[in-house]
């Protein structure tokens, strides 16, 4: 008898932190029309002629800095999360796939359909945005039009409680001047075209403030990981860190709720690059709240969410 299936999907990672593999990964990622809305006739020559040749080797260096003995941290944490969810859902088939790179969504769903009568897909992105979740939806529907997709979970009470607990624990361990809630940015044009991402991140911040035992005046939200010349959602995290340092707020805690698994953006961009900028401008401690990763509590949340909505 066939079982129900659960597919957890994360963004993806190069196979190795080498320039050729990073270039291959970036080419796939930055050729996605949900990510880059510029007409292909204009974008592809720019991508292939300038961006990939100059960005690939630099990104490969960043990946090497955060690579673990077991591989890409995003892949490793997702694998471990899948294993824990599988233990909690022994009657289901639980697998993972990546939007870009391996394992591919189409290949994984094809394999699951041999054993599963119904497949539920959960993108590991709490907030819906065209540049992440929509691509997953498109690829899933191409592979299995009948698959059920839980396309966001940032408003779930249990998720907000879990995230607030993670933040509060980190805050109580130190002595901080500010908490910065930093979300992955998206181009402002996407929001102007109706993308709900900014509304969802602002709603999550408001809910976290209610749950945290931290004075509201000590909490700010920002957006990070800007790419390209076009305006993205503001305030930018790096500019916010500079301002905080100049105001004499030398000890800052940062949480990045857009990322459920520690990855290049949290381990390299924030803990290395943004930390260096902060220190160079008068800051002292910049500490990252760990992502939920493969915590037992997060695995239990996923299990409860899927059994309720799947």
């Amino acid at each position: 008898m066939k079982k129900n299936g659960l597919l957890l999907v994360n963004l993806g990672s190069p196979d190795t932190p080498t320039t050729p593999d990073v270039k291959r990964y970036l080419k796939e990622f930055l050729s996605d029309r949900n990510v880059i809305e510029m007409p292909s006739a204009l974008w592809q020559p720019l991508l292939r002629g300038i961006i990939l040749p100059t960005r690939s080797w630099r990104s490969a260096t960043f990946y090497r800095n955060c690579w673990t003995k077991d591989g890409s941290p995003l892949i490793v944490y997702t694998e471990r999360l899948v294993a824990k969810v599988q233990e909690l859902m022994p009657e289901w088939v639980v697998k993972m796939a990546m939007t870009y790179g391996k394992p591919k969504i189409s290949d994984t769903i094809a394999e699951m359909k041999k054993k599963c009568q119904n497949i539920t897909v959960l993108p590991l992105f709490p907030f819906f945005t065209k540049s992440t979740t929509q691509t997953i939806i498109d690829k899933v529907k191409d592979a299995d039009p009948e698959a059920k997709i839980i396309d966001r979970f940032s408003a779930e009470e249990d998720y907000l409680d879990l995230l607030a607990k993670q933040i509060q624990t980190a805050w109580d361990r130190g002595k901080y001047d500010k908490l910065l809630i930093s979300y992955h940015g998206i181009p402002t044009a996407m929001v102007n075209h109706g993308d709900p991402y900014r509304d969802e991140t602002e709603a999550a911040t408001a809910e976290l403030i209610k749950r945290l035992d931290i004075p509201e005046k000590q909490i700010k939200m920002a957006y990070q990981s800007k790419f390209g010349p076009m305006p993205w959602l503001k305030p930018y995290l790096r500019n916010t860190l500079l301002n905080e340092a100049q105001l004499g707020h030398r000890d800052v805690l940062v949480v990045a709720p857009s990322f459920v698994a520690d990855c290049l953006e949290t381990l390299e961009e924030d803990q290395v690059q943004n930390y260096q900028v902060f220190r160079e401008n008068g800051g002292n401690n910049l500490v990252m709240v760990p992502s939920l990763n493969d915590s037992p509590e997060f695995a239990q949340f996923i299990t409860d969410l899927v059994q309720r909505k799947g």
Side-chain angles (χ1 to χ4, degrees), residues 22-71:
V22 170
K23 183 176 182 180
R24 189 177 303 111
Y25 172 78
L26 289 177
K27 182 181 178 183
E28 180 184 6
F29 176 36
L30 296 176
S31 294
D32 186 344
R33 295 301 302 275
N34 287 326
V35 175
I36 304 294
E37 295 182 317
M38 186 184 298
S40 293
L42 298 175
W43 173 246
Q44 283 298 325
L46 182 62
L47 175 65
R48 296 166 187 258
I50 298 176
I51 294 173
L52 290 178
T54 58
R55 189 178 176 90
S56 297
W57 69 268
R58 188 165 177 264
S59 292
T61 300
F62 297 152
Y63 274 108
R64 282 195 292 273
N65 288 343
C66 67
W67 213 257
T68 74
K69 63 180 179 62
D70 296 319

Side-chain angles (χ1 to χ4, degrees), residues 3-11 78-79 81-83 85-86 89 92-113 116 118-125 133 135-144 147-153 302-303 305-307 310:
K3 298 183 176 182
N4 290 326
L6 170 62
L7 180 62
L8 301 180
V9 183
N10 215 326
L11 184 70
T78 306
E79 288 174 338
L81 178 64
V82 166
V85 174
Q86 180 67 84
M89 303 176 68
W92 288 56
V93 174
V94 183
K95 298 291 184 182
M96 78 170 195
M98 298 292 147
T99 313
Y100 314 105
K102 301 172 184 175
K104 292 182 178 296
I105 291 173
S106 57
D107 293 345
T108 307
I109 288 181
E111 188 63 29
M112 291 178 73
K113 289 174 74 173
C116 304
N118 299 302
I119 295 176
T120 298
V121 179
L122 177 63
L124 291 173
F125 298 98
T133 316
T135 294
I136 295 173
I137 292 172
D138 294 344
K139 292 188 175 186
V140 167
K141 291 304 182 183
D142 284 344
D144 181 6
K148 180 176 180 59
I149 301 171
I150 303 172
D151 65 4
R152 70 198 80 186
F153 55 86
I302 288 174
T303 300
L305 177 68
V306 171
Q307 291 181 334

Side-chain angles (χ1 to χ4, degrees), residues 174-225:
K175 188 176 176 66
Y176 300 103
D177 300 306
K178 279 292 176 71
L179 167 67
L180 299 184
I181 305 176
S182 176
Y183 301 93
H184 194 292
I186 63 171
T188 306
M190 286 189 179
V191 175
N192 294 339
H193 295 155
D195 195 291
Y197 184 73
R198 181 169 61 188
D199 289 343
E200 291 184 11
T201 57
E202 290 178 349
T205 297
E207 289 297 326
L208 289 172
I209 288 172
K210 293 178 187 176
R211 289 165 167 78
L212 292 168
D213 185 21
I214 301 172
E216 186 172 349
K217 65 181 181 180
Q218 289 182 261
I219 302 174
K220 283 188 176 181
M221 68 178 287
Y223 295 94
Q224 65 178 82
S225 309

Side-chain angles (χ1 to χ4, degrees), residues 134-176:
Q134 188 58 53
T135 294
I136 295 173
I137 292 172
D138 294 344
K139 292 188 175 186
V140 167
K141 291 304 182 183
D142 284 344
D144 181 6
E146 303 302 317
K148 180 176 180 59
I149 301 171
I150 303 172
D151 65 4
R152 70 198 80 186
F153 55 86
S154 66
E156 296 290 328
E157 295 287 334
D158 291 347
Y159 165 74
L160 291 164
D161 290 344
L162 180 58
L163 184 56
K165 179 182 176 183
Q166 186 97 335
I167 297 169
Q168 192 71 54
T169 298
W171 179 269
D172 292 342
R173 284 184 181 143
K175 188 176 176 66
Y176 300 103

